[in-house]
Amino acid sequence: MYFELIQGEAETASANGLAPRPAACAGGWQVTAGGPVPGIVLLQRWVRLDDREAAIAAGTHSFCNGRLGRHEVAIYGASPAWKAARQELTLPDRAVYELRIQRVLNGYTAEAARVMGESTLPLLQAMGAQVVGVFDLLLGAHRPRMATFLAWPDFAAQQEAWARLDVEPRFWRRRDEERTRLHRRLFGDEQTLLLAALPGYAPRANFGVGA
Amino acid sequence: MNQQGFWELRLYEMLPRRLPDMHHQFAREVPPLFQRAGIPAPLAFWDCFAGPMTATLVYMLHWASLDERMAAWGRFYADPQWWKQYEDAHGGEQMLERSHVLILRSSPAWQPATSGPPPQAGLHELRMIDLLPQAAGAAHQALARVDLACITAHGAQILGLFDLVAGQQLPRAVAVIAWPDIATRDAAWAAHAADASVQAARANERQAHSAPLIGHADTFLLRPTAYGAPQGPLHPGLPG
């Protein structure tokens, strides 16, 4: 299964004029912080990439609604970190969504997924985050990269959690150990976007993907 | 469906001193593994020695479908021989800083020339060109008929013109251009900047679309490698 992440500028941050949600759309959000605003993020789920081509040809692809300005398209696959950190929960109503895109040291994608799934995500889950999906970049710029979708009950919980993680000794001991061993950082630059689900485009838990 | 298939443009940002090792891999070690996995022979290999990132190895493949592409690369990475070669070649160290795997389709405005191979010893140029959002179709036409026609009249040979499908800054066109030498290239782009028909086109676009159809471009200067110089237009249906 493939996940197509579309991230870009939009004409307006409102939902006015947005086409009905296509079946392949796993979620749609407006950017509230961390990226260009007005901005939009769409996640499409494809069993085959030929299905994506067929949707574009038929005008049923999410970005065929004409609202997107300059944007990025990247094709991701499910990361092993997602399976490791998966929980069967219901997403909170009016959740604050967070999309983190992180560069990973080339050649260490498997280790990065293991660290993310066994260490970082459980710490964040203990602080109130729900993991909606974790992905490894397959097609697109700046490989390797990981993308993580989190859902928070509210903005305060998100801010509190990341402030705590920033000084969490278990988190930093691991980063220090990686840096000593690899002579470089396992996780490189990262981008954090805060998102609000567009009306009718809210994701399902685990993006509706079965365990 | 897309009848012409897809082009995969791979840009490998190399760690210092590892580009020769990567060339050795692609010239000698990798081709039989590609063949075994069903990955087609690349249409071209280049070094990039001026651009947003250097040193970079660039190459291009053509696929009938993206699902075929995913399956073939899956077979490649499942091949134990690849991992043995990888260990032998890398000596426990990385070669790549990062890679960019961009997916392209043929530009609706690309009309591949069928005459004459590109200059083997010349200079090639990769341009990634911002197009006006919501008017990408018109922008492709303007790029081909106005801009690329202008530089072609000043010595350029267009090896390929594509639409970026997966990558950043979409909508973007990707052009691969062959030049006999850097002097011809610099003179052609200077002539393009001063060309009255180009300026008139941009002015008309501003009136019609409130902005020019053609925006900024990232420019990479490329050197065809000895083992992988393109033999003709980057189109599998044309004679090389």
Side-chain angles (χ1 to χ4, degrees):
Chain A
M1 184 172 291
Y2 304 104
F3 294 86
E4 177 186 11
L5 181 63
I6 304 163
Q7 186 187 340
E9 301 165 4
E11 289 175 15
T12 166
S14 82
N16 292 340
L18 196 69
R21 178 176 178 167
C25 186
W29 300 264
Q30 61 179 350
V31 178
T32 58
V37 288
I40 200 165
V41 171
L42 295 164
L43 189 74
Q44 299 274 133
R45 214 173 80 178
W46 304 108
V47 175
R48 300 164 64 244
L49 290 175
D50 283 347
D51 297 339
R52 174 185 184 273
E53 284 306 298
I56 293 171
T60 56
H61 191 290
S62 288
F63 66 45
C64 294
N65 62 37
R67 297 182 71 227
L68 265 182
R70 197 159 300 290
H71 60 281
E72 175 179 359
V73 173
I75 307 292
Y76 286 84
S79 166
W82 189 0
K83 192 172 182 181
R86 183 184 171 103
Q87 292 178 319
E88 305 304 327
L89 299 169
T90 305
L91 295 176
D93 286 339
R94 308 183 68 162
V96 170
Y97 291 91
E98 178 176 354
L99 169 59
R100 293 181 81 85
I101 298 177
Q102 293 175 283
R103 289 192 187 177
V104 172
L105 183 61
N106 189 62
Y108 292 88
T109 307
E111 178 173 343
R114 194 166 58 249
V115 170
M116 186 71 84
E118 295 175 359
S119 170
T120 308
L121 293 176
L123 283 172
L124 290 168
Q125 285 168 323
M127 297 175 192
Q130 286 195 32
V131 176
V132 192
V134 191
F135 307 100
D136 291 320
L137 179 62
L138 301 177
L139 300 177
H142 300 290
R143 289 200 326 170
R145 270 195 288 173
M146 291 181 80
T148 305
F149 277 93
L150 302 173
W152 298 92
D154 52 43
F155 177 67
Q158 190 268 348
Q159 291 291 289
E160 168 70 16
W162 284 106
R164 283 171 58 193
L165 193 70
D166 198 39
V167 294
E168 162 62 49
R170 286 171 289 178
F171 182 77
W172 285 108
R173 266 201 300 273
R174 194 140 192 172
R175 296 291 87 76
D176 291 342
E177 182 278 323
E178 290 157 5
R179 202 163 186 158
T180 302
R181 176 167 46 88
L182 303 171
H183 307 294
R184 303 180 71 188
R185 290 192 298 160
L186 179 59
F187 294 98
D189 301 341
E190 60 188 47
Q191 180 190 19
T192 302
L193 297 168
L194 292 185
L195 310 170
L198 290 163
Y201 276 70
R204 293 163 59 194
N206 293 302
F207 289 120
V209 176
Chain B
M1 294 296 288
N2 180 354
Q3 299 297 319
Q4 296 192 310
F6 296 88
W7 283 256
E8 178 173 358
L9 180 63
R10 297 178 73 99
L11 298 99
Y12 290 176
E13 285 187 58
M14 305 303 303
L15 287 166
R17 306 189 305 275
R18 301 312 303 268
L19 186 57
D21 298 328
M22 191 62 94
H23 279 315
H24 175 79
Q25 285 276 299
F26 276 109
R28 295 174 181 273
E29 311 288 347
V30 170
L33 300 184
F34 270 13
Q35 191 172 25
R36 196 151 77 190
I39 296 174
L43 298 169
F45 285 92
W46 300 272
D47 280 336
C48 173
F49 52 94
M53 51 215 179
T54 54
T56 303
L57 177 77
V58 181
Y59 66 101
M60 185 178 262
L61 302 152
H62 180 266
W63 298 97
S65 87
L66 289 181
D67 288 313
E68 177 188 303
R69 181 258 176 223
M70 303 306 280
W73 278 107
R75 288 191 293 271
F76 177 81
Y77 285 118
D79 187 338
Q81 185 63 29
W82 160 245
W83 292 108
K84 181 179 183 311
Q85 287 185 12
Y86 180 91
E87 289 299 325
D88 292 348
H90 286 59
E93 293 183 11
Q94 291 298 307
M95 286 193 188
L96 287 183
E97 174 67 33
R98 66 177 63 90
S99 62
H100 307 266
V101 178
L102 308 181
I103 301 298
L104 319 173
R105 63 161 69 89
S106 175
S107 163
W110 185 22
Q111 295 183 319
T114 53
S115 60
Q120 300 289 304
L123 172 73
H124 291 183
E125 180 174 3
L126 172 68
R127 286 178 90 91
M128 299 190 187
I129 305 149
D130 289 348
L131 307 179
L132 184 65
Q134 318 297 346
H140 273 284
Q141 296 299 333
L143 179 65
R145 291 178 184 167
V146 178
D147 301 84
L148 299 184
C150 175
I151 61 166
T152 300
H154 289 88
Q157 186 180 350
I158 308 304
L159 300 184
L161 180 59
F162 307 96
D163 182 36
L164 185 60
V165 174
Q168 294 182 311
Q169 290 280 101
L170 276 69
R172 272 192 143 181
V174 175
V176 184
I177 304 161
W179 301 97
D181 50 53
I182 187 72
T184 305
R185 183 251 182 196
D186 289 348
W189 284 117
H192 171 269
D195 189 276
S197 64
V198 173
Q199 292 173 2
R202 295 293 100 85
N204 290 338
E205 291 159 12
R206 281 194 184 88
Q207 281 207 320
H209 302 279
S210 304
L213 291 170
I214 311 299
H216 292 91
D218 286 334
T219 300
F220 303 71
L221 294 185
L222 307 176
R223 181 171 49 198
T225 67
Y227 62 88
Q231 301 300 304
L234 297 167
H235 197 294
L238 294 172

